[in-house]
Amino acid sequence: MKDLLLIAIKYSLVSNVVLSQFLGICPFLGVSKKTESSKGMGGAVIFVIVIASVITHGIYVTFLAASGPLSQALGLKDGLEYLNTIVFILVIAALVQFVEMFLKKNIPSLYESLGVYLPLITTNCAVLGVALNNVSYGYNLAESFVYGLGISVGFALALLLMAGIRENIIEGNDRIPHSFQGSPIVLITACLMAIAFFGFGGLI
């Protein structure tokens, strides 16, 4: 239990996927203009990453790993691990399609506000990175679940913090020099957030 708690804290705060590992930068910068859309994107990413972590772990252990029953039955010495990336992308794409259809039918306003960034979850390197890291780190099912949850919660936390800053301080602020308005001040803010998150390093 202690190990699972350490994994959750490490990857949600200490090794934040956006601010420390620099994964998922595109939706982080694109969707963080409004808190409402950031909440929707954060929830969608949490769902996709957590479910993808569990499903891809099961697929890897059962079908792709050299020690899996399929590889053993086929007599494959090295298994089918070279298919990891392709299979994991297909799983992620299917989950994103499910989320997209759900939002389009039940929460059309959120679906419209997320726009192109919703289908881009499929190509969000943070989502694929979690699935691949679960394999490379050798995590079991419980650890894969907690790792995915920690990563996705960290992503949502960074997204909501950035959205709050942009809504209340950055957007429409005439005191920001003209040359720093827009993307430059957002990137500077992200850098300052990353520095602040380094303070969590002493937690583990």
Side-chain angles (χ1 to χ4, degrees):
M1 188 64 183
K2 180 181 178 181
D3 292 338
L4 296 179
L5 181 60
L6 288 176
I7 290 174
I9 294 174
K10 177 179 179 181
Y11 291 107
S12 61
L13 297 176
V14 180
S15 296
N16 186 277
V17 66
V18 178
L19 302 175
S20 297
Q21 302 180 45
F22 308 109
L23 299 176
I25 295 294
C26 178
F28 173 70
L29 297 178
V31 185
S32 59
K33 293 181 180 180
K34 295 182 178 180
T35 305
E36 197 62 34
S37 58
S38 297
K39 290 178 182 177
M41 175 60 78
V45 169
I46 288 174
F47 175 82
V48 171
I49 289 183
V50 170
I51 301 301
S53 297
V54 174
I55 293 177
T56 54
H57 177 272
I59 291 174
Y60 174 78
V61 171
T62 306
F63 300 106
L64 303 178
S67 58
L70 180 62
S71 297
Q72 295 291 328
L74 296 176
L76 300 175
K77 183 179 179 181
D78 297 323
L80 299 171
E81 296 183 7
Y82 60 90
L83 295 175
N84 282 353
T85 303
I86 296 174
V87 173
F88 292 173
I89 288 176
L90 290 174
V91 171
I92 292 166
L95 288 172
V96 172
Q97 286 297 313
F98 173 79
V99 172
E100 189 172 358
M101 289 187 296
F102 175 82
L103 292 180
K104 187 175 183 179
K105 182 178 180 180
N106 297 283
I107 318 177
S109 59
L110 179 58
Y111 175 81
E112 293 295 333
S113 66
L114 292 177
V116 69
Y117 293 100
L118 183 57
L120 281 179
I121 295 177
T122 304
T123 57
N124 186 341
C125 51
V127 184
L128 180 60
V130 170
L132 294 174
N133 283 342
N134 280 330
V135 173
S136 62
Y137 295 162
Y139 285 156
N140 57 36
L141 181 60
E143 291 170 336
S144 297
F145 174 83
V146 173
Y147 174 66
L149 182 62
I151 286 285
S152 56
V153 168
F155 176 87
L157 177 62
L159 193 64
L160 287 171
L161 288 174
M162 174 60 83
I165 293 172
R166 292 181 71 172
E167 274 191 349
N168 296 293
I169 299 176
I170 295 178
E171 298 298 326
N173 192 336
D174 296 333
R175 291 177 294 179
I176 298 174
H178 180 72
S179 57
F180 282 92
Q181 292 180 8
S183 298
I185 191 63
V186 173
L187 292 173
I188 291 172
T189 303
C191 291
L192 294 175
M193 287 177 60
I195 293 172
F197 267 67
F198 279 134
F200 291 113
L203 287 176
I204 58 175

